[in-house]
Amino acid sequence: MNEFTAEQRARKLVQSVNPTVVPVPLEPYLAQIGAKLSVDDELESGEAGYTMTAKGRHSIFVNGNDSPRRQRFTACHEIGHVVLELESEHGDPSWSYERRPPNEVCCDIFAAELLLPVSLFRPALLKRAMNVASLHDLAEQFEASLLATGSRMVAFSPEPCAFVVSQGGKVKYAFRSASLRNTKLWIPSGVALPETSYSAQLRKDPTHTGPFELDADVWFDNADGGTVVEDAIFDASRDQVLTLLCLDSEDMPEPTRDGPIRRDEEDTGLKELDGHLPWPSKG
């Protein structure tokens, strides 16, 4: 099983259900695979859920102490285990950036496809500006995590933009829009948040408010002039910053094929093949 196959099988399930409203109801997905969803209030913190199968019927349990958004993602993640026929390899918290097992990454991707289907998410995105307010609104509208929503926003945006996830003051992953990926501009993982960035300031003092306009080379080492508008969200409980970066199209360098390029299939917002860490699931 690979991530592209997981993505395509999730889209096949979405097509068979054909959701038309948001938040996307989970009942049709569950009915399609013959599963029942229940809440387990006895699960410990960090235990998102599990699936039990008997006589061809699947019983999916989610942690009753988790938020409704996380329960929805967990349910779709467990549906992924059933459809993809992958065993659970749960370990590190799903929002962390410790390396997650391949089976869990595939089910994360599967879950995001179910909760944020292309046919519904793309039109909703194109009506909005690329900023933190839209990120919050879309996450609430689709009842999805900020992580999943932010990556999808960048994936389907026609603008040159990036969604950067940092933890402990270091960049862990950067999702780039198609127009940004086609240039030499990129952000490596493992580097410290730029000292003069809004994200770094927000982490030190959460009372800071954005967005900020900065020189593009604050974030992009290989930028040659231009500016970037930066907006961000800081989660102190996880020491995690979610950053949206939008560049002016007039400042974009000419397209190049010399830099890291993502695979040719349609971008889902879940993974770029830049040698960085895999996308985690819930936020």
Side-chain angles (χ1 to χ4, degrees):
M1 179 61 61
N2 57 45
E3 295 165 23
F4 178 66
T5 301
E7 169 193 303
Q8 294 305 305
R9 293 187 66 178
R11 291 189 177 186
K12 184 176 179 180
L13 177 57
V14 171
Q15 290 172 358
S16 67
V17 168
N18 190 27
T20 58
V21 297
V22 293
V24 175
L26 301 189
E27 290 78 10
Y29 292 142
L30 294 164
Q32 194 77 6
I33 68 167
K36 178 183 178 182
L37 179 63
S38 301
V39 174
D40 186 341
D41 294 319
E42 302 300 321
L43 285 175
E44 299 291 334
S45 176
E47 295 181 76
Y50 60 95
T51 299
M52 297 180 64
T53 302
K55 297 182 179 180
R57 296 288 296 179
H58 309 287
S59 298
I60 294 175
F61 296 86
V62 296
N63 193 328
N65 300 306
D66 285 343
S67 68
R69 289 188 194 181
R70 182 165 186 181
Q71 289 179 13
R72 280 171 56 81
F73 196 102
T74 299
C76 291
H77 177 100
E78 293 300 319
I79 291 173
H81 277 292
V82 172
V83 173
L84 302 176
E85 299 180 328
L86 295 177
E87 294 184 0
S88 294
E89 299 176 308
H90 295 150
D92 297 301
S94 54
W95 51 264
S96 79
Y97 272 88
E98 299 302 319
R99 187 171 295 277
R100 283 171 60 69
N103 285 4
E104 300 307 309
V105 173
C106 285
C107 291
D108 290 344
I109 290 171
F110 193 99
E113 288 289 338
L114 267 55
L115 287 177
L116 301 155
V118 179
S119 61
L120 297 177
F121 187 77
R122 194 198 304 266
L125 170 66
L126 296 180
K127 297 176 183 178
R128 298 175 180 271
M130 283 295 294
N131 55 34
V132 161
S134 294
L135 172 56
H136 277 295
D137 288 347
L138 287 168
E140 182 175 353
Q141 181 181 350
F142 283 82
E143 292 188 6
S145 72
L146 293 172
L147 277 170
T149 305
S151 66
R152 298 286 264 190
M153 285 177 66
V154 166
F156 299 132
S157 174
E159 303 176 29
C161 55
F163 179 63
V164 183
V165 182
S166 60
Q167 200 167 330
K170 291 186 177 181
V171 172
K172 295 300 181 180
Y173 204 89
F175 303 89
R176 297 174 297 163
S177 66
S179 58
L180 187 58
R181 286 198 313 276
N182 288 333
T183 73
K184 64 181 179 179
L185 300 180
W186 68 298
I187 303 169
S189 62
V191 300
L193 284 172
E195 188 174 342
T196 59
S197 69
Y198 170 50
S199 297
Q201 295 179 44
L202 185 64
R203 182 170 175 260
K204 294 177 181 178
D205 182 1
T207 63
H208 276 286
T209 57
F212 277 19
E213 184 174 305
L214 307 167
D215 290 337
D217 60 9
V218 170
W219 277 97
F220 302 97
D221 290 340
N222 47 354
D224 184 16
T227 59
V228 60
V229 176
E230 175 186 359
D231 210 352
I233 303 168
F234 176 51
D235 184 344
S237 66
R238 299 172 179 173
D239 195 7
Q240 190 176 74
V241 182
L242 307 180
T243 306
L244 274 173
L245 301 172
C246 295
L247 290 88
D248 190 322
S249 298
E250 296 181 358
D251 294 332
M252 293 290 291
E254 291 298 318
T256 177
R257 303 297 292 182
D258 296 331
I261 301 297
R262 189 190 185 276
R263 60 178 169 78
D264 292 334
E265 292 87 4
E266 181 182 12
D267 190 1
T268 63
L270 302 181
K271 185 175 176 69
E272 282 190 61
L273 300 185
D274 285 344
H276 299 330
L277 298 177
W279 179 78
S281 60
K282 303 168 282 294

